[in-house]
Amino acid sequence: MPFDYTLDFHHTDFRHRPDLYRVGKGEQGVLLVEPYKSEILPHWRFRTPAVAQESAELIYGLFLGYLAARDFVGADMARKFLQMGFTRARRYANHRGGKKYAGPVPDDKKGQSGAHGRAELPRSPEDPEKAAAAAIFKHKWDEAKQHPDYVQQMADFKAHYGK
């Protein structure tokens, strides 16, 4: 099922209402789902490879903690932050300043990923620091999405909630 952007994210605690959570595609909801956004976001950084390494390790540690607590929503959100570390660092590696598309995000599409009809800007020469930071996050993201407990909890979550 697609991610439900119509929920009241300001007043929903997904730790207490996992039934409202949808995995969606990719990073959908990563900056919306609480309390996880507030728990994970302060650790999310990718400015340099050293910063990215520390960040990815901290977020992966949160991921393992959520798995141990059988908190699939938290684990999935940590996985999304690892994925977002990869995609954002790659964006900065490819586009100086991190701007990938021309023009502003349409008002009705804010918070959703995608071009939304905007043209992609030309790529800059690759920034090797950001490329290295992206590789660090990619490694941890791959570990997370292939972790046997994560795979099992994902299957259990989908079987229980149908999402």
Side-chain angles (χ1 to χ4, degrees), residues 8-105:
D8 181 3
F9 291 98
H10 294 291
H11 298 101
T12 303
D13 181 331
F14 286 86
R15 182 169 285 130
H16 298 295
R17 293 297 312 270
D19 58 303
L20 295 177
Y21 182 74
R22 292 184 187 164
V23 173
K25 291 176 71 174
E27 303 159 25
Q28 289 182 323
V30 71
L31 296 176
L32 296 172
V33 176
E34 291 288 5
Y36 307 104
K37 178 190 98 170
S38 294
E39 293 171 1
I40 303 167
L41 183 61
H43 305 291
W44 183 73
R45 302 284 180 267
F46 58 89
R47 185 172 37 87
T48 67
V51 168
Q53 185 68 47
E54 181 180 355
S55 176
E57 291 291 340
L58 282 166
I59 293 170
Y60 191 77
L62 291 171
F63 169 80
L64 293 175
Y66 293 130
L67 285 180
R70 299 215 36 89
D71 182 348
F72 171 74
V73 178
D76 195 50
M77 289 295 294
R79 187 262 318 153
K80 288 181 182 196
F81 269 94
L82 293 169
Q83 181 175 357
M84 188 169 68
F86 166 68
T87 60
R88 294 309 182 278
R90 278 303 324 161
R91 178 179 294 176
Y92 278 82
N94 294 333
H95 299 276
R96 173 171 252 126
K99 189 169 172 151
K100 184 175 179 180
Y101 299 108
V105 176

XYZ file of all heavy atoms in Angstrom, residues 8-105:
803
model
N -2.734 12.695 10.260
C -2.392 13.840 11.109
C -1.058 13.538 11.798
O -1.027 13.054 12.929
C -3.499 14.080 12.135
C -3.224 15.269 13.030
O -2.188 15.955 12.833
O -4.033 15.505 13.937
N 0.033 13.830 11.116
C 1.363 13.486 11.615
C 1.752 14.298 12.845
O 2.579 13.867 13.626
C 2.409 13.629 10.510
C 2.254 12.594 9.441
C 1.598 12.888 8.264
C 2.736 11.305 9.628
C 1.432 11.917 7.285
C 2.577 10.335 8.664
C 1.921 10.641 7.486
N 1.173 15.471 13.014
C 1.501 16.308 14.171
C 0.938 15.744 15.471
O 1.428 16.068 16.551
C 0.996 17.740 13.968
C 1.698 18.456 12.858
N 3.018 18.837 12.927
C 1.263 18.840 11.627
C 3.365 19.424 11.800
N 2.322 19.443 11.001
N -0.079 14.918 15.377
C -0.740 14.417 16.586
C -0.780 12.898 16.677
O -1.518 12.356 17.493
C -2.171 14.966 16.663
C -2.196 16.461 16.751
N -2.472 17.251 15.651
C -1.947 17.296 17.784
C -2.405 18.522 16.017
N -2.076 18.581 17.300
N -0.017 12.204 15.847
C -0.022 10.742 15.855
C 1.311 10.217 16.363
O 2.362 10.582 15.842
C -0.293 10.185 14.445
O -1.541 10.718 13.968
C -0.361 8.668 14.455
N 1.247 9.364 17.369
C 2.421 8.691 17.899
C 2.410 7.275 17.323
O 1.606 6.435 17.732
C 2.367 8.653 19.428
C 3.573 7.981 20.054
O 4.175 7.086 19.418
O 3.899 8.333 21.197
N 3.270 7.038 16.359
C 3.265 5.754 15.651
C 3.808 4.609 16.493
O 3.607 3.451 16.137
C 4.018 5.880 14.321
C 3.232 6.641 13.292
C 3.298 8.021 13.237
C 2.408 5.987 12.401
C 2.572 8.739 12.299
C 1.664 6.684 11.463
C 1.752 8.070 11.410
N 4.474 4.918 17.591
C 4.889 3.852 18.497
C 3.645 3.238 19.141
O 3.587 2.041 19.371
C 5.841 4.403 19.562
C 6.335 3.300 20.510
C 7.482 3.750 21.396
N 8.690 3.804 20.583
C 9.518 4.843 20.538
N 9.293 5.930 21.242
N 10.600 4.797 19.793
N 2.658 4.082 19.400
C 1.407 3.603 20.000
C 0.364 3.233 18.953
O -0.618 2.554 19.293
C 0.845 4.657 20.960
C 1.763 4.947 22.101
N 2.076 4.008 23.063
C 2.473 6.049 22.407
C 2.924 4.533 23.920
N 3.189 5.767 23.541
N 0.565 3.670 17.714
C -0.386 3.375 16.636
C 0.322 2.804 15.409
O 0.257 3.361 14.323
C -1.147 4.655 16.247
C -2.090 5.223 17.287
C -3.249 4.280 17.643
N -3.947 3.704 16.516
C -5.007 4.252 15.913
N -5.503 5.386 16.341
N -5.575 3.643 14.891
N 1.021 1.671 15.574
C 1.714 1.095 14.417
C 0.748 0.680 13.305
O 1.145 0.565 12.145
C 2.454 -0.111 15.004
C 1.697 -0.454 16.242
C 1.184 0.850 16.771
N -0.518 0.489 13.667
C -1.520 0.115 12.672
C -1.719 1.198 11.611
O -2.185 0.905 10.506
C -2.861 -0.176 13.357
C -3.367 1.007 14.166
O -2.633 1.466 15.071
O -4.493 1.476 13.900
N -1.350 2.440 11.914
C -1.503 3.534 10.954
C -0.296 3.664 10.019
O -0.370 4.357 9.010
C -1.713 4.865 11.687
C -2.992 4.982 12.501
C -3.033 6.326 13.232
C -4.218 4.807 11.619
N 0.796 3.003 10.356
C 2.025 3.129 9.579
C 1.948 2.307 8.305
O 1.443 1.191 8.296
C 3.223 2.667 10.413
C 4.540 2.796 9.708
C 5.127 4.044 9.530
C 5.201 1.683 9.207
C 6.342 4.174 8.881
C 6.418 1.802 8.563
C 6.987 3.053 8.396
O 8.184 3.169 7.743
N 2.476 2.876 7.236
C 2.648 2.148 5.979
C 4.106 2.279 5.571
O 4.669 3.370 5.614
C 1.753 2.731 4.888
C 0.283 2.504 5.154
C -0.554 3.015 4.016
N -1.973 2.933 4.359
C -2.918 3.564 3.703
N -2.614 4.328 2.676
N -4.169 3.443 4.067
N 4.671 1.187 5.163
C 6.078 1.187 4.750
C 6.260 2.106 3.546
O 7.188 2.901 3.501
C 6.560 -0.247 4.437
C 7.966 -0.228 3.854
C 6.496 -1.114 5.692
N 5.352 2.026 2.582
C 5.470 2.843 1.380
C 6.666 2.428 0.548
O 7.158 1.305 0.652
N 7.147 3.359 -0.259
C 8.295 3.102 -1.120
C 9.466 3.950 -0.658
O 9.292 5.117 -0.314
C 7.963 3.474 -2.571
C 6.943 2.560 -3.214
C 6.572 3.021 -4.596
C 7.732 2.783 -5.537
N 7.414 3.068 -6.944
N 10.629 3.369 -0.651
C 11.840 4.118 -0.366
C 11.816 4.838 0.963
O 11.626 4.230 2.010
N 11.964 6.149 0.909
C 12.087 6.985 2.104
C 10.770 7.662 2.493
O 10.771 8.569 3.324
C 13.132 8.075 1.854
C 14.478 7.551 1.473
C 15.304 8.595 0.745
O 15.080 9.800 0.919
O 16.192 8.184 -0.011
N 9.669 7.256 1.911
C 8.405 7.946 2.175
C 8.127 8.051 3.667
O 8.217 7.071 4.395
C 7.250 7.244 1.475
C 7.277 7.411 -0.025
C 6.091 6.738 -0.696
O 5.641 5.679 -0.290
N 5.602 7.369 -1.730
N 7.796 9.259 4.109
C 7.430 9.499 5.496
C 8.584 9.674 6.452
O 8.367 9.896 7.638
N 9.818 9.618 5.967
C 10.972 9.632 6.861
C 11.012 10.878 7.743
O 11.453 10.808 8.883
C 12.289 9.445 6.070
C 12.621 10.665 5.249
C 13.434 9.074 6.985
N 10.530 11.993 7.249
C 10.556 13.230 8.043
C 9.202 13.570 8.650
O 8.970 14.694 9.080
C 11.072 14.399 7.188
C 12.514 14.239 6.712
C 12.908 15.381 5.788
C 13.474 14.136 7.891
N 8.317 12.579 8.726
C 6.974 12.802 9.254
C 6.627 11.938 10.454
O 5.901 12.372 11.337
C 5.926 12.546 8.156
C 5.961 13.465 6.944
C 5.000 12.954 5.876
C 5.620 14.885 7.342
N 7.079 10.708 10.473
C 6.608 9.703 11.435
C 7.293 9.880 12.790
O 8.494 9.678 12.931
C 6.822 8.285 10.866
C 6.439 7.228 11.884
C 6.009 8.106 9.585
N 6.497 10.249 13.775
C 6.975 10.472 15.139
C 6.604 9.306 16.048
O 5.625 8.623 15.775
C 6.361 11.760 15.707
C 6.865 13.024 15.046
C 8.299 13.393 15.403
O 8.989 12.617 16.109
O 8.737 14.445 14.968
N 7.350 9.036 17.066
C 8.456 9.808 17.625
C 9.797 9.519 16.963
O 10.823 10.074 17.352
C 8.480 9.366 19.090
C 8.064 7.927 19.036
C 7.025 7.882 17.931
N 9.780 8.676 15.955
C 11.025 8.189 15.364
C 11.828 9.292 14.673
O 13.054 9.330 14.784
C 10.738 7.033 14.408
C 9.933 5.966 15.087
C 8.581 5.825 14.832
C 10.516 5.150 16.049
C 7.826 4.859 15.491
C 9.777 4.184 16.714
C 8.433 4.050 16.432
O 7.685 3.100 17.099
N 11.137 10.178 13.958
C 11.849 11.274 13.314
C 12.682 12.040 14.344
O 13.855 12.309 14.121
C 10.883 12.219 12.612
C 11.594 13.410 11.973
C 10.626 14.450 11.484
C 10.520 15.529 12.526
N 9.786 16.712 12.102
N 12.072 12.356 15.468
C 12.771 13.126 16.504
C 13.877 12.332 17.184
O 14.851 12.912 17.672
C 11.778 13.626 17.556
O 10.901 14.562 16.970
N 13.767 11.023 17.211
C 14.796 10.185 17.821
C 15.999 9.981 16.902
O 17.135 9.869 17.372
C 14.202 8.818 18.195
C 13.163 8.892 19.294
C 12.410 7.596 19.522
O 12.677 6.583 18.838
O 11.528 7.591 20.404
N 15.751 9.924 15.605
C 16.800 9.563 14.645
C 17.429 10.783 13.974
O 18.652 10.848 13.802
C 16.244 8.592 13.579
C 15.652 7.338 14.252
C 17.332 8.199 12.582
C 14.811 6.482 13.319
N 16.620 11.760 13.614
C 17.104 12.911 12.851
C 18.309 13.625 13.474
O 19.232 14.011 12.737
C 15.967 13.906 12.602
C 16.295 15.135 11.752
C 16.746 14.731 10.348
C 15.081 16.059 11.672
N 18.370 13.792 14.794
C 19.539 14.493 15.359
C 20.880 13.798 15.072
O 21.934 14.423 15.161
C 19.264 14.510 16.868
C 17.783 14.389 16.978
C 17.365 13.515 15.828
N 20.844 12.531 14.698
C 22.069 11.766 14.433
C 22.419 11.695 12.946
O 23.441 11.129 12.587
C 21.918 10.339 14.971
C 21.545 10.303 16.415
N 22.398 10.697 17.426
C 20.381 9.951 17.014
C 21.789 10.573 18.590
N 20.572 10.133 18.365
N 21.561 12.238 12.099
C 21.697 12.083 10.646
C 22.572 13.190 10.069
O 22.166 14.347 10.032
C 20.301 12.079 10.020
C 20.285 11.858 8.556
C 20.532 10.691 7.899
C 19.994 12.820 7.546
N 20.417 10.868 6.543
C 20.087 12.183 6.309
C 19.682 14.169 7.580
C 19.858 12.827 5.107
C 19.453 14.822 6.369
C 19.544 14.155 5.156
N 23.791 12.835 9.640
C 24.744 13.793 9.081
C 25.591 13.104 8.008
O 25.912 11.934 8.137
C 25.688 14.333 10.161
C 25.010 15.017 11.334
C 24.528 16.408 10.963
N 23.888 17.069 12.089
C 22.575 17.032 12.325
N 21.774 16.374 11.548
N 22.066 17.684 13.365
N 26.007 13.873 6.997
C 26.815 13.269 5.934
C 27.830 14.230 5.325
O 28.342 14.000 4.239
C 25.909 12.712 4.824
C 25.000 13.726 4.188
C 25.401 14.468 3.102
C 23.730 13.940 4.698
C 24.568 15.401 2.521
C 22.880 14.867 4.124
C 23.306 15.608 3.025
N 28.185 15.294 6.036
C 29.057 16.338 5.495
C 30.408 15.798 5.017
O 30.916 16.210 3.979
C 29.249 17.436 6.536
C 30.027 18.638 6.056
C 30.035 19.781 7.058
N 30.117 19.369 8.455
C 31.250 19.138 9.111
N 32.401 19.270 8.514
N 31.226 18.771 10.372
N 31.015 14.903 5.800
C 32.303 14.299 5.438
C 32.193 12.794 5.653
O 31.290 12.331 6.359
C 33.448 14.839 6.323
O 33.228 14.387 7.671
C 33.534 16.365 6.277
N 33.135 12.025 5.118
C 33.101 10.586 5.384
C 33.162 10.250 6.874
O 32.459 9.346 7.336
C 34.308 10.054 4.619
C 34.490 11.024 3.497
C 34.133 12.358 4.094
N 33.969 10.960 7.641
C 34.069 10.680 9.082
C 32.745 10.968 9.780
O 32.294 10.173 10.623
C 35.190 11.509 9.708
N 32.108 12.059 9.429
C 30.802 12.406 10.006
C 29.760 11.374 9.575
O 28.933 10.927 10.379
C 30.395 13.840 9.588
C 28.938 14.122 9.904
C 31.305 14.858 10.256
N 29.794 10.980 8.320
C 28.852 9.984 7.806
C 29.044 8.633 8.506
O 28.062 7.954 8.825
C 29.021 9.821 6.299
N 30.293 8.256 8.756
C 30.565 6.983 9.432
C 29.961 6.982 10.828
O 29.278 6.026 11.222
C 32.078 6.727 9.517
C 32.436 5.376 10.092
C 32.048 4.241 9.168
O 32.327 4.286 7.971
N 31.391 3.229 9.696
N 30.206 8.054 11.579
C 29.643 8.154 12.922
C 28.118 8.139 12.880
O 27.467 7.451 13.665
C 30.146 9.426 13.607
C 29.624 9.587 15.015
C 30.116 10.856 15.701
O 30.940 11.592 15.124
O 29.655 11.107 16.822
N 27.554 8.887 11.954
C 26.099 8.974 11.822
C 25.489 7.617 11.464
O 24.522 7.172 12.090
C 25.741 10.004 10.753
O 24.353 10.047 10.533
N 26.049 6.978 10.462
C 25.522 5.687 10.017
C 25.611 4.643 11.127
O 24.689 3.842 11.312
C 26.267 5.212 8.765
N 26.715 4.659 11.877
C 26.864 3.708 12.991
C 25.818 3.976 14.082
O 25.225 3.043 14.614
C 28.275 3.799 13.584
C 29.372 3.285 12.675
C 29.348 1.778 12.454
O 28.744 1.045 13.262
O 29.939 1.333 11.459
N 25.617 5.248 14.427
C 24.616 5.590 15.442
C 23.211 5.187 15.004
O 22.447 4.603 15.783
C 24.662 7.093 15.740
C 25.789 7.569 16.637
C 25.931 9.085 16.567
C 25.536 7.129 18.078
N 22.875 5.488 13.764
C 21.531 5.151 13.269
C 21.365 3.637 13.167
O 20.303 3.100 13.504
C 21.250 5.861 11.931
C 21.175 7.381 12.173
C 19.960 5.346 11.301
C 21.142 8.221 10.916
N 22.411 2.941 12.739
C 22.328 1.480 12.682
C 22.157 0.902 14.093
O 21.418 -0.064 14.295
C 23.553 0.883 11.988
C 23.386 -0.576 11.680
C 22.599 -0.987 10.598
C 23.990 -1.554 12.456
C 22.424 -2.341 10.316
C 23.825 -2.901 12.175
C 23.039 -3.283 11.107
O 22.864 -4.621 10.829
N 22.804 1.507 15.082
C 22.612 1.085 16.472
C 21.172 1.280 16.922
O 20.602 0.418 17.607
N 20.569 2.408 16.531
C 19.142 2.619 16.829
C 18.297 1.554 16.137
O 17.358 1.000 16.723
C 18.707 4.017 16.388
C 19.281 5.186 17.179
C 18.958 6.509 16.499
C 18.748 5.172 18.611
N 18.627 1.268 14.884
C 17.944 0.234 14.106
C 17.959 -1.101 14.864
O 16.917 -1.744 15.045
C 18.637 0.099 12.742
C 18.230 -1.095 11.928
C 17.054 -1.094 11.190
C 19.044 -2.219 11.877
C 16.697 -2.195 10.432
C 18.697 -3.317 11.114
C 17.513 -3.305 10.386
N 19.144 -1.494 15.347
C 19.256 -2.755 16.085
C 18.453 -2.708 17.383
O 17.831 -3.710 17.768
C 20.723 -3.062 16.382
C 21.603 -3.369 15.165
C 23.057 -3.529 15.592
C 21.104 -4.601 14.414
N 18.434 -1.564 18.048
C 17.642 -1.412 19.265
C 16.155 -1.553 19.000
O 15.441 -2.217 19.768
N 15.689 -0.952 17.923
C 14.273 -1.087 17.562
C 13.942 -2.547 17.241
O 12.897 -3.053 17.653
C 13.928 -0.199 16.370
C 13.985 1.287 16.626
C 14.688 2.124 15.769
C 13.329 1.878 17.710
C 14.742 3.499 15.975
C 13.382 3.246 17.934
C 14.088 4.050 17.062
O 14.128 5.413 17.266
N 14.836 -3.213 16.517
C 14.601 -4.630 16.212
C 14.522 -5.449 17.498
O 13.627 -6.294 17.652
C 15.706 -5.191 15.324
C 15.706 -4.802 13.855
C 16.890 -5.457 13.144
C 14.396 -5.163 13.161
N 15.449 -5.209 18.415
C 15.477 -5.963 19.674
C 14.201 -5.739 20.475
O 13.718 -6.656 21.140
C 16.702 -5.571 20.497
N 13.643 -4.531 20.367
C 12.394 -4.212 21.073
C 11.164 -4.660 20.286
O 10.036 -4.442 20.734
C 12.323 -2.711 21.334
N 11.386 -5.294 19.132
C 10.306 -5.707 18.226
C 9.447 -4.513 17.815
O 8.242 -4.602 17.666
C 9.468 -6.832 18.814
C 10.322 -8.069 19.079
C 9.701 -9.422 18.881
N 8.766 -9.618 17.826
C 9.076 -9.990 16.565
N 10.326 -10.147 16.222
N 8.138 -10.192 15.677
N 10.108 -3.387 17.620
C 9.470 -2.149 17.168
C 9.787 -1.999 15.681
O 10.733 -1.309 15.290
C 10.008 -0.971 17.980
C 9.354 0.357 17.614
O 8.642 0.435 16.593
O 9.583 1.334 18.362
N 8.983 -2.665 14.851
C 9.255 -2.655 13.416
C 9.190 -1.257 12.828
O 10.009 -0.900 11.980
C 8.300 -3.577 12.647
C 8.451 -3.390 11.168
C 9.559 -3.886 10.508
C 7.516 -2.653 10.444
C 9.740 -3.658 9.153
C 7.693 -2.427 9.092
C 8.798 -2.930 8.437
N 8.235 -0.452 13.252
C 8.113 0.892 12.690
C 9.405 1.675 12.942
O 9.930 2.324 12.038
C 6.871 1.631 13.236
C 6.799 3.043 12.680
C 5.591 0.860 12.898
N 9.934 1.610 14.142
C 11.199 2.273 14.440
C 12.335 1.739 13.588
O 13.148 2.505 13.055
N 12.407 0.419 13.443
C 13.459 -0.183 12.622
C 13.328 0.267 11.171
O 14.333 0.597 10.523
C 13.394 -1.708 12.721
N 12.103 0.315 10.669
C 11.907 0.733 9.287
C 12.262 2.203 9.098
O 12.855 2.583 8.089
C 10.468 0.464 8.838
C 10.334 0.539 7.327
O 11.140 -0.111 6.619
O 9.424 1.244 6.851
N 11.942 3.017 10.086
C 12.309 4.430 10.004
C 13.830 4.595 10.041
O 14.386 5.407 9.292
C 11.645 5.212 11.135
C 10.151 5.370 10.952
S 9.730 6.358 9.511
C 10.393 7.933 10.037
N 14.530 3.834 10.873
C 15.992 3.898 10.897
C 16.552 3.455 9.553
O 17.489 4.070 9.025
C 16.544 3.046 12.038
N 15.974 2.413 8.978
C 16.387 1.964 7.636
C 16.184 3.092 6.627
O 17.033 3.354 5.775
C 15.577 0.724 7.243
C 16.011 0.051 5.964
C 15.253 0.381 4.714
N 13.824 0.455 4.851
C 13.065 1.206 4.066
N 13.584 1.956 3.112
N 11.763 1.249 4.219
N 15.068 3.815 6.734
C 14.805 4.919 5.810
C 15.831 6.041 5.978
O 16.244 6.653 4.994
C 13.393 5.463 6.011
C 12.321 4.526 5.492
C 10.928 5.100 5.693
C 9.887 4.107 5.203
N 8.581 4.712 5.020
N 16.241 6.320 7.216
C 17.257 7.350 7.425
C 18.599 6.920 6.836
O 19.335 7.759 6.306
C 17.396 7.702 8.911
C 16.495 8.825 9.334
C 15.256 8.557 9.878
C 16.883 10.141 9.186
C 14.418 9.592 10.272
C 16.056 11.184 9.568
C 14.822 10.912 10.115
N 18.941 5.648 6.931
C 20.166 5.157 6.297
C 20.060 5.311 4.778
O 21.016 5.756 4.126
C 20.428 3.706 6.686
C 20.778 3.479 8.158
C 20.741 1.994 8.491
C 22.123 4.095 8.511
N 18.908 4.966 4.235
C 18.689 5.118 2.798
C 18.791 6.591 2.406
O 19.416 6.942 1.411
C 17.327 4.553 2.407
C 17.038 4.653 0.924
C 15.730 3.988 0.543
O 15.042 3.389 1.359
N 15.381 4.093 -0.721
N 18.180 7.468 3.211
C 18.211 8.895 2.912
C 19.637 9.442 3.032
O 20.013 10.355 2.298
C 17.254 9.656 3.828
C 17.100 11.112 3.448
S 15.758 11.959 4.293
C 16.363 12.003 5.971
N 20.437 8.896 3.942
C 21.835 9.301 4.020
C 22.545 9.016 2.709
O 23.313 9.845 2.200
N 22.276 7.850 2.150
C 22.862 7.491 0.856
C 22.367 8.423 -0.247
O 23.158 9.021 -0.982
C 22.543 6.034 0.506
C 22.818 5.690 -0.922
C 24.121 5.647 -1.401
C 21.782 5.435 -1.802
C 24.385 5.351 -2.733
C 22.037 5.131 -3.126
C 23.335 5.090 -3.593
N 21.043 8.570 -0.364
C 20.507 9.342 -1.489
C 20.877 10.822 -1.402
O 21.201 11.437 -2.415
C 18.979 9.180 -1.622
O 18.333 9.631 -0.431
C 18.603 7.739 -1.922
N 20.848 11.383 -0.203
C 21.195 12.810 -0.086
C 22.690 13.040 -0.308
O 23.079 14.005 -0.972
C 20.773 13.379 1.267
C 19.290 13.426 1.492
C 18.528 14.105 0.351
N 17.108 14.176 0.639
C 16.220 13.212 0.455
N 16.601 12.053 -0.052
N 14.952 13.385 0.742
N 23.527 12.175 0.229
C 24.961 12.331 -0.009
C 25.272 12.175 -1.504
O 26.096 12.916 -2.054
C 25.763 11.332 0.823
N 24.595 11.233 -2.177
C 24.788 11.075 -3.629
C 24.319 12.325 -4.361
O 24.943 12.755 -5.330
C 24.017 9.867 -4.179
C 24.648 8.535 -4.028
C 26.030 8.338 -4.609
N 26.314 9.015 -5.853
C 27.554 9.246 -6.311
N 28.612 8.832 -5.658
N 27.748 9.871 -7.438
N 23.203 12.906 -3.902
C 22.721 14.122 -4.556
C 23.783 15.217 -4.460
O 24.074 15.900 -5.430
C 21.418 14.608 -3.930
C 20.946 15.918 -4.576
C 19.671 16.414 -4.003
N 18.604 15.494 -4.326
C 17.370 15.626 -3.881
N 17.047 16.623 -3.090
N 16.437 14.757 -4.202
N 24.375 15.389 -3.273
C 25.408 16.403 -3.106
C 26.684 16.019 -3.855
O 27.438 16.897 -4.285
C 25.691 16.660 -1.628
C 24.695 17.609 -1.011
C 23.457 17.164 -0.577
C 24.988 18.961 -0.868
C 22.527 18.034 -0.014
C 24.078 19.850 -0.309
C 22.847 19.380 0.114
O 21.938 20.243 0.664
N 26.943 14.738 -4.012
C 28.102 14.311 -4.800
C 27.906 14.679 -6.270
O 28.866 15.021 -6.962
C 28.316 12.800 -4.661
N 26.674 14.623 -6.743
C 26.370 14.869 -8.152
C 25.989 16.315 -8.470
O 26.097 16.735 -9.615
C 25.223 13.972 -8.613
C 25.600 12.510 -8.594
O 26.765 12.167 -8.724
N 24.627 11.644 -8.423
N 25.469 17.025 -7.477
C 24.962 18.383 -7.700
C 25.508 19.309 -6.619
O 25.056 19.252 -5.471
C 23.424 18.409 -7.666
C 22.792 17.570 -8.721
N 22.597 18.022 -10.006
C 22.317 16.303 -8.694
C 22.014 17.073 -10.720
N 21.842 16.020 -9.944
N 26.464 20.121 -6.980
C 27.034 21.074 -6.010
C 25.888 21.877 -5.384
O 25.040 22.395 -6.074
C 28.015 22.001 -6.709
C 28.497 23.119 -5.800
C 29.615 23.904 -6.429
N 30.812 23.534 -5.705
C 31.928 23.079 -6.238
N 32.040 22.940 -7.514
N 32.943 22.762 -5.485
N 25.851 21.912 -4.075
C 24.789 22.624 -3.372
C 23.558 21.763 -3.116
O 22.639 22.180 -2.423
N 23.509 20.558 -3.687
C 22.436 19.618 -3.406
C 21.136 19.847 -4.148
O 20.176 19.121 -3.952
N 21.085 20.845 -5.014
C 19.843 21.131 -5.739
C 19.817 20.302 -7.018
O 20.628 20.511 -7.922
C 19.733 22.622 -6.039
C 18.404 23.005 -6.594
C 18.223 24.508 -6.642
C 16.935 24.757 -7.393
N 16.259 25.927 -7.041
N 18.869 19.373 -7.101
C 18.791 18.446 -8.223
C 17.830 18.928 -9.313
O 18.031 18.648 -10.490
C 18.351 17.073 -7.709
C 18.331 15.989 -8.764
C 18.002 14.645 -8.136
C 17.954 13.543 -9.162
N 17.648 12.246 -8.562
N 16.765 19.619 -8.917
C 15.731 20.026 -9.874
C 15.611 21.541 -9.958
O 15.836 22.250 -8.980
C 14.375 19.433 -9.472
C 14.375 17.931 -9.445
C 14.337 17.241 -8.241
C 14.441 17.198 -10.619
C 14.356 15.867 -8.209
C 14.462 15.818 -10.599
C 14.416 15.148 -9.388
O 14.441 13.785 -9.359
N 15.216 22.023 -11.121
C 15.010 23.455 -11.330
C 13.670 23.874 -10.720
O 12.675 23.161 -10.850
C 15.018 23.772 -12.827
N 13.682 25.012 -10.052
C 12.439 25.570 -9.524
C 12.019 24.977 -8.195
O 12.567 23.974 -7.737
N 11.026 25.606 -7.578
C 10.558 25.161 -6.261
C 9.662 23.926 -6.356
O 9.056 23.656 -7.397
C 9.767 26.365 -5.752
C 9.267 27.023 -6.993
C 10.344 26.819 -8.032
N 9.547 23.216 -5.239
C 8.626 22.083 -5.137
C 7.207 22.661 -5.137
O 6.932 23.610 -4.391
C 8.869 21.286 -3.837
C 7.846 20.177 -3.676
C 10.273 20.734 -3.815
